[in-house]
Amino acid sequence: MTDAAIPSVAAEADPPPYFTAHVFVCCNRRPDGHKRGSCAAAGSEALRDYMKARAKELGLKGVRINQAGCLDRCEFGPTLVIYPEGVWYAPKTREDVDAILTAHLQQGGRARHLMLTERDVVPKD
């Protein structure tokens, strides 16, 4: 990946977005003992399942929560990213998931204490 930003361009003829928010939860699993770890080994599958059920309970419309393969931020797992904003989070508990759903997807803000930022980079090999 390069440092150059890829512009986000919406053309007039583009259809409206199908979802207002798309949440990708990493559920990648590496072998036990792998030096980078894995989100699934850190509990991401259960958190994804909880997030899906809780979003439905909260009646969040236009929000899709999906399982993703490796998002390449394994050392911080479990991780998830919410688009279209591209905001990354590292939830560890159901309470963290609730905070993300409430702050980001209900209120349009951020759960800043759970965000991964530009300072959270994968260590070089």
Side-chain angles (χ1 to χ4, degrees):
M1 182 154 65
T2 67
D3 290 336
I6 298 171
S8 176
V9 179
E12 281 184 40
D14 286 351
Y18 192 74
F19 297 111
T20 56
H22 212 137
V23 181
F24 294 95
V25 181
C26 180
C27 290
N28 189 54
R29 183 174 296 278
R30 287 200 173 93
D32 290 342
H34 191 281
K35 68 179 182 175
R36 291 191 69 193
S38 68
C39 289
S44 65
E45 294 160 323
L47 291 175
R48 179 217 47 225
D49 292 346
Y50 175 75
M51 186 175 231
K52 287 177 80 163
R54 190 72 179 115
K56 188 174 184 177
E57 286 174 10
L58 293 170
L60 296 178
K61 302 291 182 209
V63 173
R64 177 69 179 178
I65 297 165
N66 278 101
Q67 172 175 311
C70 185
L71 296 174
D72 203 27
R73 296 185 93 178
C74 319
E75 291 79 1
F76 308 106
T79 62
L80 64 85
V81 60
I82 301 177
Y83 289 106
E85 301 90 350
V87 174
W88 290 77
Y89 291 102
K92 307 292 187 238
T93 66
R94 287 179 169 210
E95 291 76 19
D96 292 348
V97 167
D98 287 335
I100 293 165
L101 290 172
T102 300
H104 195 118
L105 297 170
Q106 280 188 313
Q107 299 172 352
R110 302 292 181 263
R112 297 224 176 264
H113 65 292
L114 298 170
M115 286 174 65
L116 291 174
T117 70
E118 71 283 357
R119 293 181 306 277
D120 300 306
V121 296
V122 176
K124 300 271 188 222
D125 286 337

